[in-house]
Amino acid sequence: MKKYKSLLIVLFATVLALVSCEDYLDKDPELGINADEVYSEYYTFKGAVDRGNWLVMNYVATSTNWGAYIGAMSDEQQAVKNDMPVYKSINQGVWQDSHWRDFGMNYRSETAYGADPYYNEPSGKSLKAIRAMGLAIENIEMLSDFPAEIGYTPTELKNQLLGQAYALRAWHQFEVIRRYGPILLVDTVGGGRSTFTKTYNFDQVRPTFQRCADLIAADCDEAYELLPNKWTSSTDIGRLTKTSALAIKAMTYLYAASPLMNTQDGAYPLGQDSYNEEYAKKGINAMLAALKQVANGGTRYQLYDKDHYMENWMSQGYENGGAITNEALLQPVPTNSDNYNLPMNRSGSGTGWFLPQHDGGWAVFNVPTQNAVDKFETMNGYPVSNFSSDDPEFDPANPYEGRDPRLKKFIFCPGDDMYLSEPEGAARTNEAWSNDTDPSEKDGAGFHYKFYRGKQLVFTGYFSAGKWRKLGYNKFDNQYSQNYYRSFPLIRLADMYLGLAELANEVYGPTGVIPGAGFIDKTTGLEVNSAKDALNVIRARIGMSDVRDEFLNVSDFRERVRNEWAVEFYGEFRRWKDMRRWRIAKDVFNQGIYGVNVTKNNDGTFSYVNEKLNVPRVFEDKHYWYPLDNKYIDMFSMFEQNPGW
């Protein structure tokens, strides 16, 4: 057996760094700095805790083109360029020691506030945060120097800091285990949850995912008792609250109940075919608690209605909290750097995400797939597949009309107007047809089809529209001065409704009464008593019809809930995680990635068929869990690599 080395040095090392807008240094006593300098005074302690906030992954605050991973790792989007890592490595299943964006535990460069977090993978950031929050929790009694000018008692200030530390440690643990599987990230010797020491023996058999979930939930319970319902200062809007703690707990139990993570009774790594009923009930209770907390008032949270729906991802006025969404129960700290997510501008972050090359964006970006478009039902609630539907009102000649309103909010379909004015040297509408309809013309194919096929780029027929791309924000309209700001919520109120619908269906069926439910959603006015009710709230707030009666059996309703996840969270890096936790990714990818082939007919009408794309999606059983770096695994004998790697 190779002699193991402490992962404390390798994975949990901390560095001196600027961590918050107050420019306080995070000082690690293990690096020889007196702990009293950090933990005795309120503002330096606050800076240490805020480090956990800044280490929450912010996907719209980096210029390193995270978007080429967020959508294209799943089936909802496709990277257009075949020489980039997401295409030639990640989509090919080559993940071992890859250190590209979502993979790896890179921690080398924790840089100053507002800087581009290029060198940090999410799990690397989270490992640092777990340790930093643990140290704050364990040193809370050292805090003795409190300011008098900010309107809180010393006990209130201490509780706020401690509550945030517990909630942030919970979130960061969740970030690691949903990628790499069950790993103990706190020292449980003696029944506690303490920070690892250099003498801790990491060479242990993996726990179950459920054991890890319970440890995270315990942190959430501590946080719930300490955090406020609502922060009173405008400078604290967006900080974690009691509802946030419940939401983190709920999401953790949602995963713990899901088939892949149902690893009890020796079922690791591939879980079980069914949901874990015990943990489904735990998830239901946490979701109900969060939803009822909002329904009862006293929080700032709300489910946006259809008129304000897009405020989930963009809003105006940084000074008025424009970077904060009131539906987000957890979101990253916004920066005020012009180079990143705030404000939305042509040169800043996101250009490589959502702005196509013909609009002034990068040559590397993603486009929606037909797989994603097919998830958007008709307004009457019928599924659509390959431009066909059982809906008697569905028109194959106008297949994008009469669909779920979110389709046109999120995706530019063929024929959609994409500009505020006529673009010089380009087409105003999405010209996706592929054929030459006029023999007298050299090439009568549509502008966008010709542009992308001519550059040897993948063309699906679709472009991203809303969420983080504002109409007019392109090189032709040049409307970059509207003071809009992006946000990337990590847990939304919609998560609680859809999670409740998913888990309650597995335990009580689609129409069975959920014990402890019976609350009224403030936005829609609907009473929630069942899984069906929870699903219909999310549909109603955007103007969709209720789920159809023929789907009110456990199996069909499960598929409609999963479809709703794909629609509501399109482009939010959820589809990738959901496909894995439901253990359906291999089957989905085996069916292929599709675009649309549009034919312009001689009479000016169009015909549409699915077109299977020649793009990679290699996914085997081993890909359900990320591989740990071999340099870590080689240290151990009992703690094993994820199977298949």
Side-chain angles (χ1 to χ4, degrees):
M1 181 184 82
K2 294 185 179 181
K3 184 177 180 180
Y4 79 90
K5 301 176 183 177
S6 173
L7 280 185
L8 179 66
I9 299 171
V10 179
L11 297 178
F12 296 84
T14 53
V15 294
L16 292 178
L18 290 168
V19 296
S20 72
C21 56
E22 294 89 349
D23 289 335
Y24 291 111
L25 288 172
D26 170 52
K27 302 171 182 177
D28 185 353
E30 291 194 346
L31 296 180
I33 301 172
N34 191 327
D36 186 65
E37 296 180 42
V38 183
Y39 301 119
S40 63
E41 197 272 333
Y42 172 77
Y43 285 112
T44 54
F45 200 117
K46 183 172 181 285
V49 171
D50 275 346
R51 185 186 188 199
N53 280 311
W54 288 107
L55 286 169
V56 172
M57 189 66 196
N58 190 344
Y59 296 101
V60 289
T62 170
S63 62
T64 55
N65 196 33
W66 255 96
Y69 292 77
I70 284 175
M73 288 170 68
S74 72
D75 64 335
E76 67 180 357
Q77 292 183 349
Q78 175 59 44
V80 300
K81 216 168 187 307
N82 64 11
D83 61 351
M84 297 304 293
V86 68
Y87 189 109
K88 68 179 183 180
S89 178
I90 305 306
N91 290 160
Q92 298 279 7
V94 184
W95 299 358
Q96 184 65 61
D97 300 339
S98 65
H99 289 287
W100 276 101
R101 304 300 184 269
D102 207 47
F103 300 90
M105 296 179 175
N106 197 321
Y107 61 90
R108 290 176 296 176
S109 176
E110 185 176 349
T111 51
Y113 159 72
D116 187 351
Y118 183 89
Y119 291 106
N120 286 323
E121 286 94 27
S123 293
K125 294 163 73 74
S126 287
L127 288 170
K128 285 188 293 185
I130 292 165
R131 178 159 181 76
M133 296 306 96
L135 291 173
I137 291 166
E138 290 160 19
N139 287 286
I140 189 67
E141 294 307 321
M142 295 182 67
L143 180 57
S144 58
D145 186 358
F146 298 92
E149 70 274 7
I150 57 177
Y152 293 104
T153 67
T155 298
E156 289 173 327
L157 292 173
K158 183 181 288 188
N159 287 347
Q160 290 170 5
L161 294 174
L162 188 57
Q164 289 179 86
Y166 273 118
L168 287 165
R169 186 169 72 171
W171 171 256
H172 286 292
Q173 289 182 79
F174 176 60
E175 281 279 75
V176 175
I177 67 170
R178 66 172 167 174
R179 290 172 169 86
Y180 291 93
I183 303 173
L184 281 181
L185 296 168
V186 291
D187 185 349
T188 60
V189 175
R193 304 185 310 283
S194 58
T195 305
F196 292 126
T197 65
K198 292 180 180 178
T199 60
Y200 183 82
N201 181 9
F202 291 89
D203 194 14
Q204 302 180 28
V205 176
R206 283 178 182 261
T208 63
F209 198 96
Q210 288 64 37
R211 168 65 170 149
C212 296
D214 285 335
L215 291 170
I216 293 172
D219 273 0
C220 292
D221 290 341
E222 297 272 13
Y224 178 83
E225 296 299 324
L226 297 163
L227 289 168
N229 279 324
K230 183 179 181 180
W231 293 85
T232 57
S233 171
S234 61
T235 60
D236 290 324
I237 293 175
R239 286 188 180 275
L240 299 173
T241 64
K242 287 183 182 295
T243 312
S244 305
L246 292 170
I248 297 169
K249 180 179 179 179
M251 292 300 289
T252 302
Y253 279 145
L254 171 65
Y255 275 66
S258 297
L260 177 66
M261 287 78 177
N262 189 3
T263 61
Q264 287 185 323
D265 303 320
Y268 183 79
L270 293 179
Q272 304 182 40
D273 293 335
S274 60
Y275 283 72
N276 185 306
E277 183 172 332
E278 176 188 356
Y279 282 80
K281 288 180 178 178
K282 290 184 177 185
I284 289 168
N285 290 336
M287 290 161 186
L288 282 176
L291 290 168
K292 291 167 84 170
Q293 186 117 0
V294 174
N296 292 336
T299 76
R300 68 172 177 85
Y301 305 116
Q302 62 174 315
L303 197 67
Y304 285 124
D305 61 23
K306 62 182 180 181
D307 294 330
H308 299 90
Y309 182 61
M310 299 309 289
E311 291 180 28
N312 271 303
W313 308 282
M314 65 177 76
S315 53
Q316 287 181 302
Y318 181 76
E319 67 282 357
N320 297 317
I324 303 296
T325 159
N326 286 331
E327 191 172 313
L329 306 180
L330 186 153
Q331 72 171 83
V333 178
T335 76
N336 56 9
S337 168
D338 286 350
N339 293 324
Y340 305 108
N341 63 317
L342 308 175
M344 292 172 68
N345 58 46
R346 180 176 168 187
S347 62
S349 176
T351 301
W353 279 47
F354 318 109
L355 196 63
Q357 189 177 15
H358 68 268
D359 279 348
W362 300 352
V364 182
F365 66 98
N366 292 343
V367 286
T369 62
Q370 188 64 48
N371 306 57
V373 172
D374 279 353
K375 298 295 183 186
F376 294 83
E377 301 171 349
T378 69
M379 279 294 293
N380 296 321
Y382 287 90
V384 179
S385 178
N386 196 17
F387 298 96
S388 177
S389 175
D390 290 336
D391 189 339
E393 297 181 17
F394 181 78
D395 181 4
N398 295 285
Y400 308 112
E401 302 305 315
R403 300 282 287 273
D404 186 315
R406 290 169 290 191
L407 175 60
K408 293 300 185 79
K409 289 181 181 293
F410 299 163
I411 296 173
F412 285 131
C413 300
D416 284 350
D417 193 339
M418 300 192 291
Y419 304 98
L420 297 174
S421 57
E422 198 68 35
E424 184 178 352
R428 183 166 182 169
T429 60
N430 178 7
E431 294 189 353
W433 67 89
S434 61
N435 61 312
D436 185 346
T437 59
D438 187 345
S440 66
E441 296 184 17
K442 183 178 181 181
D443 188 356
F447 171 83
H448 298 100
Y449 178 90
K450 289 188 291 184
F451 184 94
Y452 286 94
R453 289 297 173 89
K455 290 182 175 292
Q456 308 283 305
L457 300 175
V458 177
F459 183 71
T460 66
Y462 303 100
F463 297 102
S464 291
K467 288 212 171 177
W468 298 282
R469 182 185 175 189
K470 180 70 176 171
L471 187 65
Y473 279 55
N474 58 74
K475 72 176 184 180
F476 300 109
D477 293 325
N478 199 28
Q479 298 290 312
Y480 295 107
S481 59
Q482 300 177 47
N483 200 30
Y484 271 88
Y485 297 83
R486 292 189 185 97
S487 57
F488 196 109
L490 297 173
I491 302 179
R492 292 199 272 126
L493 203 54
D495 281 288
M496 299 297 98
Y497 279 106
L498 292 185
L500 182 63
E502 179 178 338
L503 296 183
N505 176 59
E506 301 300 328
V507 179
Y508 306 110
T511 59
V513 174
I514 305 170
F519 63 93
I520 305 293
D521 172 70
K522 292 190 297 184
T523 299
T524 63
L526 297 177
E527 183 174 0
V528 178
N529 289 293
S530 66
K532 178 191 73 170
D533 296 338
L535 177 61
N536 284 338
V537 166
I538 297 303
R539 297 167 69 92
R541 66 92 164 254
I542 196 64
M544 267 296 285
S545 58
D546 288 352
V547 62
R548 298 186 62 81
D549 288 346
E550 58 261 39
F551 300 131
L552 296 182
N553 59 78
V554 172
S555 179
D556 287 341
F557 189 81
R558 180 187 302 129
E559 293 308 310
R560 298 333 302 158
V561 172
R562 291 180 176 183
N563 192 86
E564 196 72 24
W565 279 110
V567 169
E568 177 65 25
F569 288 90
Y570 167 79
E572 294 185 52
F573 214 3
R574 294 301 191 83
R575 178 66 176 164
W576 170 245
K577 298 178 177 72
D578 287 342
M579 288 169 63
R580 290 173 47 245
R581 72 178 178 89
W582 294 328
R583 213 175 60 177
I584 64 171
K586 188 164 69 169
D587 292 338
V588 168
F589 287 140
N590 283 340
Q591 295 171 20
I593 304 298
Y594 289 83
V596 58
N597 188 302
V598 184
T599 300
K600 187 173 184 179
N601 304 315
N602 289 331
D603 61 0
T605 61
F606 296 91
S607 300
Y608 308 85
V609 295
N610 283 7
E611 179 179 56
K612 190 171 185 177
L613 304 175
N614 184 24
V615 295
R617 286 296 193 282
V618 175
F619 197 98
E620 303 169 9
D621 284 342
K622 69 178 183 179
H623 292 104
Y624 280 109
W625 296 112
Y626 291 11
L628 291 156
D629 281 8
N630 281 323
K631 65 182 178 182
Y632 304 143
I633 293 300
D634 287 346
M635 300 174 186
F636 306 123
S637 61
M638 294 178 63
F639 187 92
E640 297 179 345
Q641 174 67 279
N642 279 321
W645 295 103

